[in-house]
Amino acid sequence: MALIAYKCPRYKVTVVDINPDRIAKWNSDTLPIYEPGLDEVVKAARGRNLFFSTDIEDGIRSSEIIFVSVNTPTKTFGTGAGMAADLQYWEKTARQIRDCADSPKIIVEKSTLPVKTAQAMQRILTAGDYKNRFEVLSNPEFLAEGTAISDLEHPDRVLIGSAETPGGLKARDELVEIYANWVPQARILTTSIWSSELSKLVSNAFLAQKISSINSISALCEKTDANVAEVAKAVGMDSRLGDKFLNASVGFGGSCFKKDILNLVYLCRYYGLDEVADYWEGVVRINEYQQERFVINMLSNMFNTLAGKKICLLGFAFKANTGDTRESPAIHISRRLVEERARLVLTDPQALENARTDLKDLTGRIDYIDDPYAASSGCDAIAVITEWQAYKALDFEKIYGSMTKPAFIFDGRNILDHERLFKIGFNVFPIGKPALTHFEEAAGGACR
Ligand code: UDX
């Protein structure tokens, strides 16, 4: 919304939320989320044509187009618990819009929703003695965190789904007109509303599937002395497959991938498509396996005991350039390491506050330290969880000097210079590449 306001000064954009603290932060110098470039965009538009408010009713009444971006988390109760999307916030919002509106509105589904939600929304909006005309459009968001502003400025595509009725097509054209202020027409894709809703789930499922595919192969590489980076390069040079999203890792995190795949799986099962559901569920299973495998690798390479050992996690966010920790592999890994009775030290340039909340039940068993040098001092092992660029530039000789020996590095993102670390003295365990260890030196040379 900030970017729409920034790009289109002639539209007035009002963002409303029930949470007064969050709105106060959006109106302050310290925004409630860290996102590169966002501060500048908000500062340029705020007070001009971008406003943040808790007056939801006024926001509804005074707007012609309403983007509904409430959260649709995985349901935690009843039928579909752990799989289906929880639509209660969406439905409440639809009812509120219907009850407050005193003129026709275009309702835009921005939240990620199961296919066919628009139909339910239309039914709610037009139930009872409603006085107005509502057109529901689907306009899923494809931005990724950490690159949100450039993704919004130069999107691969903007997807707009509408009913194929005169009213639906007219509403669609109004939304197209907004994006056409900065997005080339050829990148604005219009489809049926059902295709649009489904495409968002499928896009995330395909992206996550690419990561799980390479992560599954990383396990095989570790058994066979193949190098997953070389395999990924060879595979990715096939233009039919593409070279993006082939970085083996500790597993994908973030608020979208797991939730959306489970939602897709639930939809498939609902329609009796068990084979299709099983196929996509495998993507989530491999992701869980990859996180657990990382812990087991640490355990088995550190002589099958982590009890009393001090381990530093470099990074806690689910990816670099964000403070977001939702579904971060760091959460599972931290819990497992504490279960193994390791002493944990967490460091991250942006995510420590969220990490404390995620692990608040483990208070007293984990230290949170901003400075990576102080965090790794006295540790037996370092595990790289987030691919922050700053970690590449750390002085690893200094870090090695301050650590307990033998010193281990488990690079869960393959971002460090493994040969160099090995030369410094570390025992190095990348993902999907041969380990570099010093253990067999006495028996005749380094074990590479
Ligand atoms: C994702 C989609 O990319 C975006 O289109 C959608 O709108 C929301 O969900 P996001 O979750 O912000 O965006 O981040 P993304 O860059 O997709 O990364 C997701 C996870 O996959 C991160 O944990 C990341 O570290 C991991 N990842 C990504 C890998 O492990 N390997 C890769 O090659 C790429």
Side-chain angles (χ1 to χ4, degrees):
M1 290 303 110
L3 200 88
I4 288 178
Y6 179 72
K7 293 284 185 187
C8 317
R10 69 195 172 91
Y11 295 102
K12 180 181 171 199
V13 178
T14 309
V15 178
V16 292
D17 196 289
I18 50 171
N19 183 333
D21 294 339
R22 194 168 298 172
I23 288 296
K25 283 189 183 152
W26 282 108
N27 279 321
S28 78
D29 285 338
T30 315
L31 302 185
I33 55 169
Y34 169 73
E35 185 63 46
L38 179 63
D39 277 40
E40 291 76 6
V41 168
V42 169
K43 276 181 193 143
R46 196 172 53 194
R48 178 187 75 184
N49 64 328
L50 174 64
F51 302 91
F52 295 93
S53 160
T54 48
D55 192 342
I56 298 174
E57 295 193 358
D58 183 60
I60 293 170
R61 271 194 294 270
S62 61
S63 304
E64 289 145 83
I65 305 180
I66 300 173
F67 291 79
V68 183
S69 318
V70 295
N71 58 339
T72 50
T74 303
K75 222 178 148 192
T76 54
F77 54 89
T79 304
M83 302 287 283
D86 184 346
L87 298 176
Q88 59 172 314
Y89 310 108
W90 229 103
E91 196 182 312
K92 271 187 200 135
T93 308
R95 288 174 193 274
Q96 192 174 17
I97 293 171
R98 180 193 63 194
D99 297 343
C100 298
D102 51 15
S103 58
K105 313 278 175 204
I106 296 172
I107 313 296
V108 184
E109 296 178 345
K110 216 22 160 166
S111 313
T112 301
L113 295 161
V115 62
K116 288 284 177 185
T117 304
Q119 188 177 56
M121 289 309 131
Q122 194 77 48
R123 286 178 183 162
I124 289 166
L125 289 164
T126 54
D129 60 346
Y130 77 101
K131 304 165 282 296
N132 295 294
R133 219 190 135 64
F134 298 99
E135 272 310 328
V136 180
L137 299 176
S138 160
N139 173 219
E141 185 49 65
F142 295 104
L143 68 80
E145 289 182 33
T147 51
I149 299 296
S150 67
D151 291 348
L152 287 167
E153 283 196 292
H154 311 285
D156 286 343
R157 77 308 208 182
V158 166
L159 179 58
I160 301 173
S162 68
E164 269 135 51
T165 56
L169 297 177
K170 186 166 169 287
R172 179 194 77 185
D173 291 346
E174 283 192 43
L175 192 54
V176 167
E177 200 185 311
I178 295 181
Y179 286 105
N181 280 284
W182 77 95
V183 180
Q185 283 284 354
R187 289 190 184 268
I188 303 178
L189 179 63
T190 55
T191 65
S192 84
I193 200 155
W194 319 126
S195 303
S196 173
E197 286 179 337
L198 186 57
S199 298
K200 169 67 188 189
L201 292 183
V202 173
S203 294
N204 275 346
F206 269 54
L207 289 168
Q209 184 250 35
K210 226 173 158 186
I211 302 168
S212 275
S213 294
I214 199 68
N215 280 345
S216 72
I217 296 304
S218 74
L220 184 57
C221 287
E222 285 166 31
K223 299 282 183 210
T224 55
D225 283 347
N227 177 329
V228 75
E230 292 175 352
V231 174
K233 185 158 188 196
V235 170
M237 279 174 77
D238 186 326
S239 59
R240 292 170 301 175
L241 294 168
D243 59 2
K244 299 206 177 97
F245 265 60
L246 284 177
N247 292 322
S249 65
V250 278
F252 60 75
S255 64
C256 293
F257 283 175
K258 185 175 172 193
K259 167 177 83 83
D260 292 352
I261 295 173
L262 292 178
N263 189 345
L264 184 67
V265 168
Y266 184 75
L267 275 170
C268 294
R269 294 216 191 282
Y270 176 83
Y271 289 108
L273 305 173
D274 281 332
E275 283 76 6
V276 185
D278 290 346
Y279 175 76
W280 288 107
E281 204 163 19
V283 173
V284 175
R285 272 205 307 275
I286 287 288
N287 198 50
E288 286 163 357
Y289 163 77
Q290 186 75 348
Q291 297 177 29
E292 180 60 15
R293 209 169 70 73
F294 190 73
V295 175
I296 298 297
N297 255 342
M298 292 180 81
L299 179 65
S300 58
N301 287 304
M302 292 174 75
F303 322 115
N304 291 309
T305 174
L306 298 176
K309 287 182 180 157
K310 202 171 159 194
I311 298 174
C312 169
L313 298 196
L314 275 187
F316 199 88
F318 82 97
K319 64 187 275 194
N321 299 319
T322 176
D324 195 343
T325 59
R326 285 175 291 174
E327 297 294 337
S328 174
I331 298 173
H332 174 77
I333 292 167
S334 298
R335 290 192 178 283
R336 284 286 289 111
L337 293 175
V338 168
E339 201 174 286
E340 294 293 338
R341 310 225 168 139
R343 291 150 59 209
L344 217 55
V345 188
L346 303 182
T347 182
D348 188 290
Q350 292 293 339
L352 283 193
E353 205 182 311
N354 284 333
R356 278 179 207 274
T357 312
D358 295 330
L359 303 174
K360 62 176 175 298
D361 54 312
L362 300 178
T363 306
R365 304 178 73 175
I366 300 176
D367 287 321
Y368 299 85
I369 301 181
D370 284 319
D371 175 33
Y373 294 104
S376 51
S377 175
C379 284
D380 296 85
I382 289 174
V384 180
I385 307 294
T386 312
E387 73 283 20
W388 287 102
Q389 283 300 307
Y391 293 155
K392 288 190 191 179
L394 290 174
D395 178 347
F396 279 99
E397 300 211 6
K398 178 171 156 187
I399 289 177
Y400 181 74
S402 74
M403 286 175 68
T404 301
K405 310 297 177 318
F408 295 80
I409 284 200
F410 297 85
D411 186 353
R413 293 289 185 165
N414 287 347
I415 55 165
L416 303 179
D417 181 342
H418 301 141
E419 286 285 340
R420 213 184 134 248
L421 293 172
F422 174 69
K423 282 189 192 126
I424 291 172
F426 284 104
N427 297 295
V428 188
F429 296 85
I431 294 268
K433 296 183 184 187
L436 304 172
T437 73
H438 298 275
F439 295 132
E440 277 157 29
E441 261 172 354
C447 170
R448 313 280 306 251

